[in-house]
Amino acid sequence: KNEVEQSPQNLTAQEGEFITINCSYSVGISALHWLQQHPGGGIVSLFMLSSGKKKHGRLIATINIQEKHSSLHITASHPRDSAVYICAAPNFGNEKLTFGTGTRLTIIP
Amino acid sequence: DAGVIQSPRHEVTEMGQEVTLRCKPISGHNSLFWYRQTMMRGLELLIYFNNNVPIDDSGMPEDRFSAKMPNASFSTLKIQPSEPRDSAVYFCASRPGQVLTGELFFGEGSRLTVL
């Protein structure tokens, strides 16, 4: 089973700040997922990446396969970015995802 | 496409009652997953299907839980009898393709409260 760790667990920042959330995992993977969950809401897939970097609007995800580490960055953060961000890595060779415990992000206006 | 559709969105029931949660995956998606989310344990995979066939149900907590996928457009997760510790949000997700990797599309979840 892949062990997935996220940091920080909680993050509060002012609107406009650059945000970084980190994720590390223990077993080599084919792809890593970043998910977003708003309070009381559903889960949205933000990124699935297997190498390098992906960008979607103000969100950027990077992954270093050798170091087994991924980061999610948010530029020019906004209160609507307030949510729980979860990374997930598959166990090698099957479809089961191990989820991190999530990072609760709060952006203050 | 309407996305993954789950029902009911909320259910409150009494211990011992049967609970049935429903999921309609995105049309054309080959894989369907049932997850449970609790404060204590986070997100956990219960079971997943590929082309309507259950592939791995090792995450199903006990015999009280069962899941079916009679066709490509419908799946159910049943709990009988329900217990207070089953209270959680249950998410259904689907994914296109046959490969192990691929973006997951989640439903809005079914929040279950067992009194």
Side-chain angles (χ1 to χ4, degrees), chain A residues 74-95:
Chain A
I74 304 175
T75 62
S77 59
H78 189 276
R80 64 174 174 264
D81 298 327
S82 298
V84 176
Y85 293 84
I86 304 167
C87 70
N91 298 333
F92 187 77
N94 63 52
E95 307 222 23

Side-chain angles (χ1 to χ4, degrees), chain B residues 50-81:
Chain B
N50 229 341
N51 293 322
N52 314 338
V53 177
I55 303 300
D56 188 333
D57 65 354
S58 59
M60 297 284 262
E62 15 186 308
D63 291 345
R64 297 184 297 106
F65 285 69
S66 63
K68 293 182 180 179
M69 192 164 186
N71 57 63
S73 59
F74 184 67
S75 177
T76 59
L77 177 67
K78 186 175 292 187
I79 308 172
Q80 165 65 17

Side-chain angles (χ1 to χ4, degrees), chain A residues 30-31 33 35 37 40-48 86 90 92-97 99-100 104, chain B residues 9 31 33 35 37 43-45 48 50 56 58 91 95 98-104 106-108 111:
Chain A
S30 50
H33 299 254
L35 311 171
Q37 185 175 27
I43 298 172
V44 174
S45 176
L46 296 176
F47 295 103
M48 187 194 67
I86 304 167
F92 187 77
N94 63 52
E95 307 222 23
K96 287 184 172 181
L97 291 177
F99 295 87
R104 184 175 299 277
Chain B
R9 289 293 310 277
S31 299
F33 304 79
Y35 292 96
Q37 185 179 41
L43 274 164
E44 303 173 284
L45 177 66
Y48 73 92
N50 229 341
D56 188 333
S58 59
F91 287 98
R95 185 163 77 193
Q98 306 283 350
V99 296
L100 295 180
T101 59
E103 185 179 359
L104 280 169
F106 286 83
E108 291 291 309
R111 183 176 295 275

Side-chain angles (χ1 to χ4, degrees), chain B residues 4-53:
Chain B
V4 176
I5 300 172
Q6 289 188 245
S7 65
R9 289 293 310 277
H10 302 272
E11 175 141 354
V12 180
T13 191
E14 292 188 346
M15 184 174 64
Q17 295 298 306
E18 177 179 295
V19 173
T20 299
L21 307 178
R22 297 172 178 79
C23 176
K24 182 181 189 307
I26 292 173
S27 177
H29 283 194
N30 300 100
S31 299
L32 182 140
F33 304 79
W34 281 102
Y35 292 96
R36 178 172 67 176
Q37 185 179 41
T38 61
M39 289 291 290
M40 292 295 293
R41 300 171 67 92
L43 274 164
E44 303 173 284
L45 177 66
L46 299 177
I47 184 171
Y48 73 92
F49 296 83
N50 229 341
N51 293 322
N52 314 338
V53 177

Side-chain angles (χ1 to χ4, degrees), chain A residues 26-37:
Chain A
S26 60
V27 178
I29 59 172
S30 50
L32 182 130
H33 299 254
W34 280 102
L35 311 171
Q36 179 193 56
Q37 185 175 27

